[in-house]
PDB file of all heavy atoms in Angstrom:
ATOM      1  N   GLU P 461      23.874 -73.280 -18.456  1.00  0.00           N
ATOM      2  CA  GLU P 461      23.115 -73.549 -17.237  1.00  0.00           C
ATOM      3  C   GLU P 461      22.582 -72.230 -16.710  1.00  0.00           C
ATOM      4  O   GLU P 461      23.238 -71.215 -16.751  1.00  0.00           O
ATOM      5  CB  GLU P 461      24.012 -74.217 -16.189  1.00  0.00           C
ATOM      6  CG  GLU P 461      24.371 -75.662 -16.549  1.00  0.00           C
ATOM      7  CD  GLU P 461      25.077 -76.360 -15.401  1.00  0.00           C
ATOM      8  OE1 GLU P 461      24.771 -76.037 -14.245  1.00  0.00           O
ATOM      9  OE2 GLU P 461      25.940 -77.205 -15.667  1.00  0.00           O
ATOM     10  N   GLY P 462      21.371 -72.241 -16.190  1.00  0.00           N
ATOM     11  CA  GLY P 462      20.718 -71.011 -15.769  1.00  0.00           C
ATOM     12  C   GLY P 462      19.859 -70.424 -16.871  1.00  0.00           C
ATOM     13  O   GLY P 462      19.081 -69.517 -16.635  1.00  0.00           O
ATOM     14  N   CYS P 463      20.025 -70.944 -18.107  1.00  0.00           N
ATOM     15  CA  CYS P 463      19.267 -70.449 -19.258  1.00  0.00           C
ATOM     16  C   CYS P 463      18.380 -71.543 -19.838  1.00  0.00           C
ATOM     17  O   CYS P 463      18.194 -71.620 -21.052  1.00  0.00           O
ATOM     18  CB  CYS P 463      20.215 -69.899 -20.319  1.00  0.00           C
ATOM     19  SG  CYS P 463      21.191 -68.494 -19.783  1.00  0.00           S
ATOM     20  N   ARG P 464      17.910 -72.438 -18.985  1.00  0.00           N
ATOM     21  CA  ARG P 464      17.006 -73.503 -19.430  1.00  0.00           C
ATOM     22  C   ARG P 464      15.769 -73.518 -18.548  1.00  0.00           C
ATOM     23  O   ARG P 464      15.485 -74.497 -17.866  1.00  0.00           O
ATOM     24  CB  ARG P 464      17.708 -74.859 -19.371  1.00  0.00           C
ATOM     25  CG  ARG P 464      18.967 -74.946 -20.221  1.00  0.00           C
ATOM     26  CD  ARG P 464      19.719 -76.229 -19.930  1.00  0.00           C
ATOM     27  NE  ARG P 464      21.061 -76.193 -20.484  1.00  0.00           N
ATOM     28  CZ  ARG P 464      22.117 -76.772 -19.917  1.00  0.00           C
ATOM     29  NH1 ARG P 464      21.972 -77.419 -18.768  1.00  0.00           N
ATOM     30  NH2 ARG P 464      23.311 -76.699 -20.465  1.00  0.00           N
ATOM     31  N   PRO P 465      15.015 -72.427 -18.513  1.00  0.00           N
ATOM     32  CA  PRO P 465      13.813 -72.398 -17.683  1.00  0.00           C
ATOM     33  C   PRO P 465      12.756 -73.329 -18.233  1.00  0.00           C
ATOM     34  O   PRO P 465      12.889 -73.908 -19.322  1.00  0.00           O
ATOM     35  CB  PRO P 465      13.372 -70.934 -17.759  1.00  0.00           C
ATOM     36  CG  PRO P 465      13.912 -70.449 -19.056  1.00  0.00           C
ATOM     37  CD  PRO P 465      15.211 -71.170 -19.251  1.00  0.00           C
ATOM     38  N   ASP P 466      11.668 -73.435 -17.494  1.00  0.00           N
ATOM     39  CA  ASP P 466      10.634 -74.405 -17.830  1.00  0.00           C
ATOM     40  C   ASP P 466      10.060 -74.212 -19.231  1.00  0.00           C
ATOM     41  O   ASP P 466       9.785 -75.178 -19.930  1.00  0.00           O
ATOM     42  CB  ASP P 466       9.507 -74.317 -16.798  1.00  0.00           C
ATOM     43  CG  ASP P 466       8.458 -75.389 -16.998  1.00  0.00           C
ATOM     44  OD1 ASP P 466       8.734 -76.549 -16.656  1.00  0.00           O
ATOM     45  OD2 ASP P 466       7.382 -75.075 -17.516  1.00  0.00           O
ATOM     46  N   ILE P 467       9.903 -72.965 -19.648  1.00  0.00           N
ATOM     47  CA  ILE P 467       9.298 -72.721 -20.959  1.00  0.00           C
ATOM     48  C   ILE P 467      10.159 -73.300 -22.080  1.00  0.00           C
ATOM     49  O   ILE P 467       9.649 -73.799 -23.082  1.00  0.00           O
ATOM     50  CB  ILE P 467       9.056 -71.210 -21.169  1.00  0.00           C
ATOM     51  CG1 ILE P 467       8.163 -71.001 -22.392  1.00  0.00           C
ATOM     52  CG2 ILE P 467      10.363 -70.439 -21.298  1.00  0.00           C
ATOM     53  CD1 ILE P 467       7.678 -69.568 -22.535  1.00  0.00           C
ATOM     54  N   VAL P 468      11.480 -73.285 -21.908  1.00  0.00           N
ATOM     55  CA  VAL P 468      12.384 -73.859 -22.899  1.00  0.00           C
ATOM     56  C   VAL P 468      12.283 -75.386 -22.890  1.00  0.00           C
ATOM     57  O   VAL P 468      12.210 -76.034 -23.946  1.00  0.00           O
ATOM     58  CB  VAL P 468      13.832 -73.410 -22.625  1.00  0.00           C
ATOM     59  CG1 VAL P 468      14.824 -74.214 -23.468  1.00  0.00           C
ATOM     60  CG2 VAL P 468      13.991 -71.922 -22.928  1.00  0.00           C
ATOM     61  N   VAL P 469      12.277 -75.955 -21.687  1.00  0.00           N
ATOM     62  CA  VAL P 469      12.181 -77.416 -21.564  1.00  0.00           C
ATOM     63  C   VAL P 469      10.883 -77.929 -22.182  1.00  0.00           C
ATOM     64  O   VAL P 469      10.868 -78.941 -22.896  1.00  0.00           O
ATOM     65  CB  VAL P 469      12.290 -77.840 -20.081  1.00  0.00           C
ATOM     66  CG1 VAL P 469      12.071 -79.344 -19.937  1.00  0.00           C
ATOM     67  CG2 VAL P 469      13.650 -77.450 -19.507  1.00  0.00           C
ATOM     68  N   GLN P 470       9.790 -77.204 -21.947  1.00  0.00           N
ATOM     69  CA  GLN P 470       8.505 -77.640 -22.477  1.00  0.00           C
ATOM     70  C   GLN P 470       8.467 -77.581 -24.007  1.00  0.00           C
ATOM     71  O   GLN P 470       7.920 -78.473 -24.655  1.00  0.00           O
ATOM     72  CB  GLN P 470       7.376 -76.782 -21.891  1.00  0.00           C
ATOM     73  CG  GLN P 470       7.237 -76.879 -20.375  1.00  0.00           C
ATOM     74  CD  GLN P 470       6.996 -78.289 -19.895  1.00  0.00           C
ATOM     75  OE1 GLN P 470       6.433 -79.113 -20.610  1.00  0.00           O
ATOM     76  NE2 GLN P 470       7.442 -78.596 -18.691  1.00  0.00           N
ATOM     77  N   ARG P 471       9.067 -76.533 -24.586  1.00  0.00           N
ATOM     78  CA  ARG P 471       9.103 -76.448 -26.050  1.00  0.00           C
ATOM     79  C   ARG P 471       9.948 -77.578 -26.637  1.00  0.00           C
ATOM     80  O   ARG P 471       9.629 -78.132 -27.695  1.00  0.00           O
ATOM     81  CB  ARG P 471       9.680 -75.096 -26.480  1.00  0.00           C
ATOM     82  CG  ARG P 471       8.771 -73.920 -26.177  1.00  0.00           C
ATOM     83  CD  ARG P 471       7.462 -74.007 -26.960  1.00  0.00           C
ATOM     84  NE  ARG P 471       6.638 -72.824 -26.741  1.00  0.00           N
ATOM     85  CZ  ARG P 471       6.706 -71.732 -27.475  1.00  0.00           C
ATOM     86  NH1 ARG P 471       7.534 -71.656 -28.495  1.00  0.00           N
ATOM     87  NH2 ARG P 471       5.925 -70.698 -27.202  1.00  0.00           N
ATOM     88  N   ALA P 472      11.032 -77.921 -25.942  1.00  0.00           N
ATOM     89  CA  ALA P 472      11.867 -79.031 -26.397  1.00  0.00           C
ATOM     90  C   ALA P 472      11.093 -80.354 -26.335  1.00  0.00           C
ATOM     91  O   ALA P 472      11.211 -81.206 -27.227  1.00  0.00           O
ATOM     92  CB  ALA P 472      13.130 -79.119 -25.547  1.00  0.00           C
ATOM     93  N   MET P 473      10.280 -80.504 -25.299  1.00  0.00           N
ATOM     94  CA  MET P 473       9.468 -81.720 -25.168  1.00  0.00           C
ATOM     95  C   MET P 473       8.412 -81.805 -26.264  1.00  0.00           C
ATOM     96  O   MET P 473       8.077 -82.903 -26.729  1.00  0.00           O
ATOM     97  CB  MET P 473       8.803 -81.744 -23.789  1.00  0.00           C
ATOM     98  CG  MET P 473       9.769 -81.974 -22.634  1.00  0.00           C
ATOM     99  SD  MET P 473       8.977 -81.807 -21.015  1.00  0.00           S
ATOM    100  CE  MET P 473       7.724 -83.077 -21.110  1.00  0.00           C
ATOM    101  N   GLU P 474       7.879 -80.642 -26.677  1.00  0.00           N
ATOM    102  CA  GLU P 474       6.875 -80.637 -27.742  1.00  0.00           C
ATOM    103  C   GLU P 474       7.432 -81.244 -29.027  1.00  0.00           C
ATOM    104  O   GLU P 474       6.728 -81.959 -29.753  1.00  0.00           O
ATOM    105  CB  GLU P 474       6.392 -79.205 -28.004  1.00  0.00           C
ATOM    106  CG  GLU P 474       5.481 -78.654 -26.919  1.00  0.00           C
ATOM    107  CD  GLU P 474       5.083 -77.210 -27.194  1.00  0.00           C
ATOM    108  OE1 GLU P 474       5.368 -76.721 -28.310  1.00  0.00           O
ATOM    109  OE2 GLU P 474       4.491 -76.571 -26.312  1.00  0.00           O
ATOM    110  N   VAL P 475       8.703 -80.939 -29.318  1.00  0.00           N
ATOM    111  CA  VAL P 475       9.327 -81.505 -30.523  1.00  0.00           C
ATOM    112  C   VAL P 475       9.358 -83.028 -30.427  1.00  0.00           C
ATOM    113  O   VAL P 475       9.023 -83.738 -31.386  1.00  0.00           O
ATOM    114  CB  VAL P 475      10.754 -80.948 -30.708  1.00  0.00           C
ATOM    115  CG1 VAL P 475      11.446 -81.617 -31.893  1.00  0.00           C
ATOM    116  CG2 VAL P 475      10.720 -79.435 -30.911  1.00  0.00           C
ATOM    117  N   ALA P 476       9.751 -83.549 -29.252  1.00  0.00           N
ATOM    118  CA  ALA P 476       9.811 -85.002 -29.068  1.00  0.00           C
ATOM    119  C   ALA P 476       8.434 -85.638 -29.249  1.00  0.00           C
ATOM    120  O   ALA P 476       8.297 -86.705 -29.875  1.00  0.00           O
ATOM    121  CB  ALA P 476      10.367 -85.323 -27.680  1.00  0.00           C
ATOM    122  N   LYS P 477       7.397 -85.001 -28.723  1.00  0.00           N
ATOM    123  CA  LYS P 477       6.046 -85.548 -28.823  1.00  0.00           C
ATOM    124  C   LYS P 477       5.571 -85.581 -30.278  1.00  0.00           C
ATOM    125  O   LYS P 477       4.922 -86.542 -30.710  1.00  0.00           O
ATOM    126  CB  LYS P 477       5.092 -84.729 -27.958  1.00  0.00           C
ATOM    127  CG  LYS P 477       5.320 -84.902 -26.460  1.00  0.00           C
ATOM    128  CD  LYS P 477       4.424 -83.972 -25.648  1.00  0.00           C
ATOM    129  CE  LYS P 477       4.690 -84.100 -24.165  1.00  0.00           C
ATOM    130  NZ  LYS P 477       3.899 -83.131 -23.364  1.00  0.00           N
ATOM    131  N   LEU P 478       5.885 -84.510 -31.035  1.00  0.00           N
ATOM    132  CA  LEU P 478       5.479 -84.468 -32.444  1.00  0.00           C
ATOM    133  C   LEU P 478       6.178 -85.558 -33.251  1.00  0.00           C
ATOM    134  O   LEU P 478       5.570 -86.204 -34.111  1.00  0.00           O
ATOM    135  CB  LEU P 478       5.786 -83.092 -33.036  1.00  0.00           C
ATOM    136  CG  LEU P 478       4.914 -81.933 -32.536  1.00  0.00           C
ATOM    137  CD1 LEU P 478       5.423 -80.607 -33.102  1.00  0.00           C
ATOM    138  CD2 LEU P 478       3.457 -82.143 -32.946  1.00  0.00           C
ATOM    139  N   VAL P 479       7.465 -85.766 -32.979  1.00  0.00           N
ATOM    140  CA  VAL P 479       8.212 -86.822 -33.678  1.00  0.00           C
ATOM    141  C   VAL P 479       7.640 -88.185 -33.320  1.00  0.00           C
ATOM    142  O   VAL P 479       7.463 -89.053 -34.180  1.00  0.00           O
ATOM    143  CB  VAL P 479       9.714 -86.756 -33.331  1.00  0.00           C
ATOM    144  CG1 VAL P 479      10.443 -87.973 -33.878  1.00  0.00           C
ATOM    145  CG2 VAL P 479      10.330 -85.465 -33.889  1.00  0.00           C
ATOM    146  N   GLU P 480       7.308 -88.359 -32.034  1.00  0.00           N
ATOM    147  CA  GLU P 480       6.767 -89.650 -31.584  1.00  0.00           C
ATOM    148  C   GLU P 480       5.438 -89.961 -32.263  1.00  0.00           C
ATOM    149  O   GLU P 480       5.150 -91.129 -32.578  1.00  0.00           O
ATOM    150  CB  GLU P 480       6.599 -89.620 -30.064  1.00  0.00           C
ATOM    151  CG  GLU P 480       6.235 -90.976 -29.478  1.00  0.00           C
ATOM    152  CD  GLU P 480       6.211 -90.946 -27.968  1.00  0.00           C
ATOM    153  OE1 GLU P 480       6.014 -89.840 -27.400  1.00  0.00           O
ATOM    154  OE2 GLU P 480       6.382 -92.001 -27.344  1.00  0.00           O
ATOM    155  N   LEU P 481       4.624 -88.932 -32.481  1.00  0.00           N
ATOM    156  CA  LEU P 481       3.358 -89.143 -33.179  1.00  0.00           C
ATOM    157  C   LEU P 481       3.574 -89.620 -34.607  1.00  0.00           C
ATOM    158  O   LEU P 481       2.814 -90.439 -35.138  1.00  0.00           O
ATOM    159  CB  LEU P 481       2.534 -87.853 -33.183  1.00  0.00           C
ATOM    160  CG  LEU P 481       1.903 -87.441 -31.851  1.00  0.00           C
ATOM    161  CD1 LEU P 481       1.258 -86.064 -31.977  1.00  0.00           C
ATOM    162  CD2 LEU P 481       0.858 -88.480 -31.425  1.00  0.00           C
TER     163      LEU P 481
END
Side-chain angles (χ1 to χ4, degrees):
E461 289 189 32
C463 298
R464 301 171 193 146
D466 186 75
I467 192 170
V468 169
V469 175
Q470 298 302 332
R471 291 296 184 89
M473 290 173 60
E474 287 177 10
V475 175
K477 290 175 182 176
L478 290 174
V479 171
E480 188 174 24
L481 287 173

